[in-house]
Amino acid sequence: MIDRISAKMVELDRFDLAILEILQRDNKTPQRSIAEVIGLSAPAVQRRIKRMEETGTIAANVAMIEPSHVRHEITVVVEVEMHSEFGATHDETKKSFAEAPEVQQCYYVTGEVDFILLVVVRTMGEYEAMTRRLFFANKNVKRFRSFVAMDRVKVGLNVSLDPKRDRS
């Protein structure tokens, strides 16, 4: 699970937010370039990035891959409804979703369903095998609905860091 406690305790100033804004666009931006843009020294930028990594503000440094370039042509949004949201069975379900390589993102949500999954697969056969493993074999899954994406209109994990927008 993601540890949100340490990230909430961190105070971020305008320099930290400026660094994060740049890194969200391109995580390979040299620290000296970041320093020039925001008006700090490269060592100061390096210290701030290290602190934000250690506190969990920067959760990961990853490459965003275009799924179709690695033959993962199908994106499916899946709603999952459970019989029970309590106990070890529920925790086991969360774990199975988190560990499934096909599941790109998993959200435990409020409303009519319990989970929303974002799944990326090569074929519908691969998706069917995943549904058998994660849903049909799990006695706590009441039902699931699949929505196959026809077009990837916007994909990303950027967080809005505009302080003007955050005040409203």
Side-chain angles (χ1 to χ4, degrees):
M1 298 296 143
I2 298 171
D3 179 15
R4 289 176 172 73
I5 295 169
S6 60
K8 287 182 179 178
M9 296 170 60
V10 176
E11 284 292 323
L12 302 175
D13 63 19
R14 66 182 178 89
F15 293 113
D16 295 325
L17 294 174
I19 291 167
L20 291 172
E21 191 71 48
I22 292 167
L23 292 177
Q24 281 191 123
R25 282 191 307 260
D26 183 359
N27 197 32
K28 292 180 115 182
T29 304
Q31 292 175 1
R32 67 183 176 284
S33 298
I34 296 171
E36 290 172 11
V37 169
I38 68 170
L40 287 177
S41 69
V45 169
Q46 181 182 23
R47 283 191 300 275
R48 286 168 177 269
I49 291 172
K50 183 176 187 218
R51 176 179 46 83
M52 290 188 283
E53 289 173 339
E54 289 172 350
T55 60
T57 300
I58 296 175
N61 292 293
V62 298
M64 186 178 230
I65 298 170
E66 170 55 49
S68 65
H69 289 200
V70 291
R71 305 185 78 185
H72 284 70
E73 304 288 340
I74 302 169
T75 300
V76 186
V77 179
V78 186
E79 296 178 344
V80 182
E81 185 178 347
M82 310 300 288
H83 286 290
S84 171
E85 291 185 59
F86 305 102
T89 306
H90 191 68
D91 291 337
E92 289 170 18
T93 299
K94 282 183 178 181
K95 186 176 186 237
S96 72
F97 292 166
E99 292 176 349
E102 304 89 347
V103 177
Q104 192 175 59
Q105 294 178 46
C106 174
Y107 299 94
Y108 178 45
V109 299
T110 62
E112 294 179 27
V113 299
D114 299 300
F115 292 95
I116 302 289
L117 307 178
L118 185 64
V119 174
V120 179
V121 291
R122 290 181 181 99
T123 66
M124 286 308 289
E126 190 175 298
Y127 178 67
E128 181 186 9
M130 186 211 75
T131 63
R132 291 178 187 279
R133 190 176 78 247
L134 294 181
F135 308 142
F136 293 119
N138 184 334
K139 301 299 182 212
N140 196 30
V141 172
K142 184 175 183 179
R143 71 175 62 102
F144 68 95
R145 289 193 328 168
S146 304
F147 303 88
V148 177
M150 295 177 14
D151 188 12
R152 291 168 40 101
V153 177
K154 179 180 180 181
V155 177
L157 295 173
N158 288 11
V159 176
S160 172
L161 299 174
D162 182 356
K164 295 174 199 122
R165 190 178 310 162
D166 293 341
R167 286 187 209 138
S168 49

PDB file of all heavy atoms in Angstrom, residues 88-109:
ATOM      1  N   ALA A  88     -10.373 -10.421   6.126  1.00  0.00           N
ATOM      2  CA  ALA A  88      -9.172 -10.895   5.432  1.00  0.00           C
ATOM      3  C   ALA A  88      -9.429 -11.131   3.947  1.00  0.00           C
ATOM      4  O   ALA A  88      -8.542 -10.905   3.123  1.00  0.00           O
ATOM      5  CB  ALA A  88      -8.669 -12.172   6.091  1.00  0.00           C
ATOM      6  N   THR A  89     -10.631 -11.574   3.593  1.00  0.00           N
ATOM      7  CA  THR A  89     -10.942 -11.834   2.188  1.00  0.00           C
ATOM      8  C   THR A  89     -10.808 -10.559   1.367  1.00  0.00           C
ATOM      9  O   THR A  89     -10.290 -10.578   0.254  1.00  0.00           O
ATOM     10  CB  THR A  89     -12.365 -12.407   2.035  1.00  0.00           C
ATOM     11  OG1 THR A  89     -12.487 -13.554   2.875  1.00  0.00           O
ATOM     12  CG2 THR A  89     -12.655 -12.788   0.609  1.00  0.00           C
ATOM     13  N   HIS A  90     -11.261  -9.459   1.932  1.00  0.00           N
ATOM     14  CA  HIS A  90     -11.169  -8.172   1.245  1.00  0.00           C
ATOM     15  C   HIS A  90      -9.711  -7.760   1.067  1.00  0.00           C
ATOM     16  O   HIS A  90      -9.309  -7.302  -0.008  1.00  0.00           O
ATOM     17  CB  HIS A  90     -11.946  -7.115   2.022  1.00  0.00           C
ATOM     18  CG  HIS A  90     -12.130  -5.837   1.287  1.00  0.00           C
ATOM     19  ND1 HIS A  90     -12.924  -5.731   0.169  1.00  0.00           N
ATOM     20  CD2 HIS A  90     -11.611  -4.606   1.498  1.00  0.00           C
ATOM     21  CE1 HIS A  90     -12.886  -4.483  -0.270  1.00  0.00           C
ATOM     22  NE2 HIS A  90     -12.095  -3.790   0.512  1.00  0.00           N
ATOM     23  N   ASP A  91      -8.920  -7.944   2.110  1.00  0.00           N
ATOM     24  CA  ASP A  91      -7.491  -7.626   2.033  1.00  0.00           C
ATOM     25  C   ASP A  91      -6.788  -8.514   1.003  1.00  0.00           C
ATOM     26  O   ASP A  91      -5.919  -8.053   0.274  1.00  0.00           O
ATOM     27  CB  ASP A  91      -6.826  -7.775   3.402  1.00  0.00           C
ATOM     28  CG  ASP A  91      -7.291  -6.713   4.391  1.00  0.00           C
ATOM     29  OD1 ASP A  91      -7.768  -5.639   3.940  1.00  0.00           O
ATOM     30  OD2 ASP A  91      -7.192  -6.951   5.606  1.00  0.00           O
ATOM     31  N   GLU A  92      -7.168  -9.775   0.951  1.00  0.00           N
ATOM     32  CA  GLU A  92      -6.594 -10.697  -0.043  1.00  0.00           C
ATOM     33  C   GLU A  92      -6.950 -10.251  -1.461  1.00  0.00           C
ATOM     34  O   GLU A  92      -6.127 -10.349  -2.369  1.00  0.00           O
ATOM     35  CB  GLU A  92      -7.091 -12.116   0.194  1.00  0.00           C
ATOM     36  CG  GLU A  92      -6.519 -12.768   1.440  1.00  0.00           C
ATOM     37  CD  GLU A  92      -7.217 -14.079   1.791  1.00  0.00           C
ATOM     38  OE1 GLU A  92      -7.892 -14.672   0.916  1.00  0.00           O
ATOM     39  OE2 GLU A  92      -7.088 -14.505   2.946  1.00  0.00           O
ATOM     40  N   THR A  93      -8.168  -9.756  -1.638  1.00  0.00           N
ATOM     41  CA  THR A  93      -8.585  -9.264  -2.953  1.00  0.00           C
ATOM     42  C   THR A  93      -7.755  -8.054  -3.357  1.00  0.00           C
ATOM     43  O   THR A  93      -7.264  -7.976  -4.484  1.00  0.00           O
ATOM     44  CB  THR A  93     -10.084  -8.906  -2.940  1.00  0.00           C
ATOM     45  OG1 THR A  93     -10.831 -10.089  -2.638  1.00  0.00           O
ATOM     46  CG2 THR A  93     -10.529  -8.349  -4.276  1.00  0.00           C
ATOM     47  N   LYS A  94      -7.586  -7.109  -2.437  1.00  0.00           N
ATOM     48  CA  LYS A  94      -6.744  -5.941  -2.723  1.00  0.00           C
ATOM     49  C   LYS A  94      -5.342  -6.388  -3.133  1.00  0.00           C
ATOM     50  O   LYS A  94      -4.773  -5.877  -4.100  1.00  0.00           O
ATOM     51  CB  LYS A  94      -6.633  -5.042  -1.493  1.00  0.00           C
ATOM     52  CG  LYS A  94      -7.813  -4.175  -1.218  1.00  0.00           C
ATOM     53  CD  LYS A  94      -7.510  -3.301   0.002  1.00  0.00           C
ATOM     54  CE  LYS A  94      -8.640  -2.366   0.316  1.00  0.00           C
ATOM     55  NZ  LYS A  94      -8.334  -1.520   1.483  1.00  0.00           N
ATOM     56  N   LYS A  95      -4.806  -7.343  -2.410  1.00  0.00           N
ATOM     57  CA  LYS A  95      -3.453  -7.836  -2.689  1.00  0.00           C
ATOM     58  C   LYS A  95      -3.392  -8.493  -4.061  1.00  0.00           C
ATOM     59  O   LYS A  95      -2.449  -8.273  -4.826  1.00  0.00           O
ATOM     60  CB  LYS A  95      -3.021  -8.820  -1.601  1.00  0.00           C
ATOM     61  CG  LYS A  95      -1.600  -9.279  -1.725  1.00  0.00           C
ATOM     62  CD  LYS A  95      -1.205 -10.184  -0.552  1.00  0.00           C
ATOM     63  CE  LYS A  95       0.266 -10.487  -0.650  1.00  0.00           C
ATOM     64  NZ  LYS A  95       0.587 -11.863  -0.712  1.00  0.00           N
ATOM     65  N   SER A  96      -4.404  -9.289  -4.394  1.00  0.00           N
ATOM     66  CA  SER A  96      -4.401  -9.961  -5.703  1.00  0.00           C
ATOM     67  C   SER A  96      -4.475  -8.957  -6.844  1.00  0.00           C
ATOM     68  O   SER A  96      -3.802  -9.115  -7.864  1.00  0.00           O
ATOM     69  CB  SER A  96      -5.533 -10.991  -5.810  1.00  0.00           C
ATOM     70  OG  SER A  96      -6.791 -10.364  -5.930  1.00  0.00           O
ATOM     71  N   PHE A  97      -5.261  -7.894  -6.675  1.00  0.00           N
ATOM     72  CA  PHE A  97      -5.335  -6.852  -7.700  1.00  0.00           C
ATOM     73  C   PHE A  97      -3.995  -6.121  -7.811  1.00  0.00           C
ATOM     74  O   PHE A  97      -3.509  -5.850  -8.903  1.00  0.00           O
ATOM     75  CB  PHE A  97      -6.437  -5.845  -7.380  1.00  0.00           C
ATOM     76  CG  PHE A  97      -7.845  -6.383  -7.469  1.00  0.00           C
ATOM     77  CD1 PHE A  97      -8.890  -5.671  -6.924  1.00  0.00           C
ATOM     78  CD2 PHE A  97      -8.130  -7.596  -8.081  1.00  0.00           C
ATOM     79  CE1 PHE A  97     -10.202  -6.138  -7.001  1.00  0.00           C
ATOM     80  CE2 PHE A  97      -9.437  -8.089  -8.156  1.00  0.00           C
ATOM     81  CZ  PHE A  97     -10.461  -7.346  -7.610  1.00  0.00           C
ATOM     82  N   ALA A  98      -3.393  -5.797  -6.670  1.00  0.00           N
ATOM     83  CA  ALA A  98      -2.123  -5.061  -6.667  1.00  0.00           C
ATOM     84  C   ALA A  98      -0.995  -5.875  -7.300  1.00  0.00           C
ATOM     85  O   ALA A  98      -0.100  -5.311  -7.931  1.00  0.00           O
ATOM     86  CB  ALA A  98      -1.754  -4.667  -5.234  1.00  0.00           C
ATOM     87  N   GLU A  99      -1.030  -7.185  -7.155  1.00  0.00           N
ATOM     88  CA  GLU A  99       0.046  -8.037  -7.667  1.00  0.00           C
ATOM     89  C   GLU A  99      -0.155  -8.484  -9.117  1.00  0.00           C
ATOM     90  O   GLU A  99       0.782  -8.979  -9.735  1.00  0.00           O
ATOM     91  CB  GLU A  99       0.205  -9.266  -6.773  1.00  0.00           C
ATOM     92  CG  GLU A  99       0.743  -8.921  -5.398  1.00  0.00           C
ATOM     93  CD  GLU A  99       0.825 -10.112  -4.458  1.00  0.00           C
ATOM     94  OE1 GLU A  99       0.272 -11.197  -4.800  1.00  0.00           O
ATOM     95  OE2 GLU A  99       1.431  -9.967  -3.383  1.00  0.00           O
ATOM     96  N   ALA A 100      -1.356  -8.315  -9.653  1.00  0.00           N
ATOM     97  CA  ALA A 100      -1.631  -8.777 -11.026  1.00  0.00           C
ATOM     98  C   ALA A 100      -0.889  -7.902 -12.031  1.00  0.00           C
ATOM     99  O   ALA A 100      -1.076  -6.681 -12.047  1.00  0.00           O
ATOM    100  CB  ALA A 100      -3.129  -8.742 -11.304  1.00  0.00           C
ATOM    101  N   PRO A 101      -0.055  -8.490 -12.878  1.00  0.00           N
ATOM    102  CA  PRO A 101       0.720  -7.684 -13.829  1.00  0.00           C
ATOM    103  C   PRO A 101      -0.140  -6.945 -14.850  1.00  0.00           C
ATOM    104  O   PRO A 101       0.272  -5.897 -15.352  1.00  0.00           O
ATOM    105  CB  PRO A 101       1.635  -8.703 -14.513  1.00  0.00           C
ATOM    106  CG  PRO A 101       1.014 -10.029 -14.271  1.00  0.00           C
ATOM    107  CD  PRO A 101       0.227  -9.918 -13.002  1.00  0.00           C
ATOM    108  N   GLU A 102      -1.317  -7.433 -15.122  1.00  0.00           N
ATOM    109  CA  GLU A 102      -2.204  -6.781 -16.093  1.00  0.00           C
ATOM    110  C   GLU A 102      -2.842  -5.517 -15.524  1.00  0.00           C
ATOM    111  O   GLU A 102      -3.260  -4.634 -16.267  1.00  0.00           O
ATOM    112  CB  GLU A 102      -3.343  -7.728 -16.526  1.00  0.00           C
ATOM    113  CG  GLU A 102      -2.893  -9.041 -17.078  1.00  0.00           C
ATOM    114  CD  GLU A 102      -2.723 -10.132 -16.021  1.00  0.00           C
ATOM    115  OE1 GLU A 102      -2.720  -9.823 -14.805  1.00  0.00           O
ATOM    116  OE2 GLU A 102      -2.599 -11.293 -16.411  1.00  0.00           O
ATOM    117  N   VAL A 103      -2.965  -5.442 -14.205  1.00  0.00           N
ATOM    118  CA  VAL A 103      -3.616  -4.308 -13.545  1.00  0.00           C
ATOM    119  C   VAL A 103      -2.609  -3.170 -13.428  1.00  0.00           C
ATOM    120  O   VAL A 103      -1.642  -3.244 -12.686  1.00  0.00           O
ATOM    121  CB  VAL A 103      -4.178  -4.696 -12.166  1.00  0.00           C
ATOM    122  CG1 VAL A 103      -4.789  -3.475 -11.473  1.00  0.00           C
ATOM    123  CG2 VAL A 103      -5.207  -5.813 -12.302  1.00  0.00           C
ATOM    124  N   GLN A 104      -2.873  -2.119 -14.193  1.00  0.00           N
ATOM    125  CA  GLN A 104      -1.987  -0.962 -14.197  1.00  0.00           C
ATOM    126  C   GLN A 104      -2.284  -0.038 -13.017  1.00  0.00           C
ATOM    127  O   GLN A 104      -1.377   0.522 -12.409  1.00  0.00           O
ATOM    128  CB  GLN A 104      -2.155  -0.205 -15.515  1.00  0.00           C
ATOM    129  CG  GLN A 104      -1.102   0.829 -15.767  1.00  0.00           C
ATOM    130  CD  GLN A 104      -1.280   1.450 -17.137  1.00  0.00           C
ATOM    131  OE1 GLN A 104      -2.331   2.018 -17.425  1.00  0.00           O
ATOM    132  NE2 GLN A 104      -0.261   1.339 -17.966  1.00  0.00           N
ATOM    133  N   GLN A 105      -3.568   0.117 -12.706  1.00  0.00           N
ATOM    134  CA  GLN A 105      -3.986   0.949 -11.576  1.00  0.00           C
ATOM    135  C   GLN A 105      -5.182   0.285 -10.908  1.00  0.00           C
ATOM    136  O   GLN A 105      -5.989  -0.366 -11.575  1.00  0.00           O
ATOM    137  CB  GLN A 105      -4.380   2.353 -12.041  1.00  0.00           C
ATOM    138  CG  GLN A 105      -3.217   3.143 -12.608  1.00  0.00           C
ATOM    139  CD  GLN A 105      -3.652   4.511 -13.100  1.00  0.00           C
ATOM    140  OE1 GLN A 105      -4.386   5.215 -12.424  1.00  0.00           O
ATOM    141  NE2 GLN A 105      -3.192   4.875 -14.285  1.00  0.00           N
ATOM    142  N   CYS A 106      -5.285   0.465  -9.589  1.00  0.00           N
ATOM    143  CA  CYS A 106      -6.400  -0.097  -8.823  1.00  0.00           C
ATOM    144  C   CYS A 106      -6.819   0.926  -7.788  1.00  0.00           C
ATOM    145  O   CYS A 106      -5.987   1.442  -7.037  1.00  0.00           O
ATOM    146  CB  CYS A 106      -5.965  -1.397  -8.144  1.00  0.00           C
ATOM    147  SG  CYS A 106      -7.225  -2.077  -7.036  1.00  0.00           S
ATOM    148  N   TYR A 107      -8.111   1.209  -7.756  1.00  0.00           N
ATOM    149  CA  TYR A 107      -8.650   2.172  -6.799  1.00  0.00           C
ATOM    150  C   TYR A 107      -9.783   1.519  -6.011  1.00  0.00           C
ATOM    151  O   TYR A 107     -10.699   0.941  -6.597  1.00  0.00           O
ATOM    152  CB  TYR A 107      -9.192   3.414  -7.514  1.00  0.00           C
ATOM    153  CG  TYR A 107      -8.121   4.144  -8.283  1.00  0.00           C
ATOM    154  CD1 TYR A 107      -7.901   3.897  -9.628  1.00  0.00           C
ATOM    155  CD2 TYR A 107      -7.293   5.068  -7.638  1.00  0.00           C
ATOM    156  CE1 TYR A 107      -6.905   4.550 -10.333  1.00  0.00           C
ATOM    157  CE2 TYR A 107      -6.292   5.723  -8.334  1.00  0.00           C
ATOM    158  CZ  TYR A 107      -6.103   5.460  -9.675  1.00  0.00           C
ATOM    159  OH  TYR A 107      -5.116   6.110 -10.361  1.00  0.00           O
ATOM    160  N   TYR A 108      -9.721   1.620  -4.702  1.00  0.00           N
ATOM    161  CA  TYR A 108     -10.800   1.218  -3.810  1.00  0.00           C
ATOM    162  C   TYR A 108     -11.681   2.450  -3.684  1.00  0.00           C
ATOM    163  O   TYR A 108     -11.208   3.507  -3.243  1.00  0.00           O
ATOM    164  CB  TYR A 108     -10.210   0.779  -2.471  1.00  0.00           C
ATOM    165  CG  TYR A 108     -11.205   0.374  -1.421  1.00  0.00           C
ATOM    166  CD1 TYR A 108     -12.286  -0.448  -1.710  1.00  0.00           C
ATOM    167  CD2 TYR A 108     -11.051   0.803  -0.108  1.00  0.00           C
ATOM    168  CE1 TYR A 108     -13.180  -0.820  -0.734  1.00  0.00           C
ATOM    169  CE2 TYR A 108     -11.937   0.430   0.885  1.00  0.00           C
ATOM    170  CZ  TYR A 108     -13.004  -0.381   0.570  1.00  0.00           C
ATOM    171  OH  TYR A 108     -13.897  -0.753   1.533  1.00  0.00           O
ATOM    172  N   VAL A 109     -12.942   2.373  -4.105  1.00  0.00           N
ATOM    173  CA  VAL A 109     -13.766   3.568  -4.270  1.00  0.00           C
ATOM    174  C   VAL A 109     -15.076   3.493  -3.492  1.00  0.00           C
ATOM    175  O   VAL A 109     -15.490   2.426  -3.041  1.00  0.00           O
ATOM    176  CB  VAL A 109     -14.087   3.809  -5.775  1.00  0.00           C
ATOM    177  CG1 VAL A 109     -12.816   4.029  -6.570  1.00  0.00           C
ATOM    178  CG2 VAL A 109     -14.891   2.646  -6.371  1.00  0.00           C
TER     179      VAL A 109
END
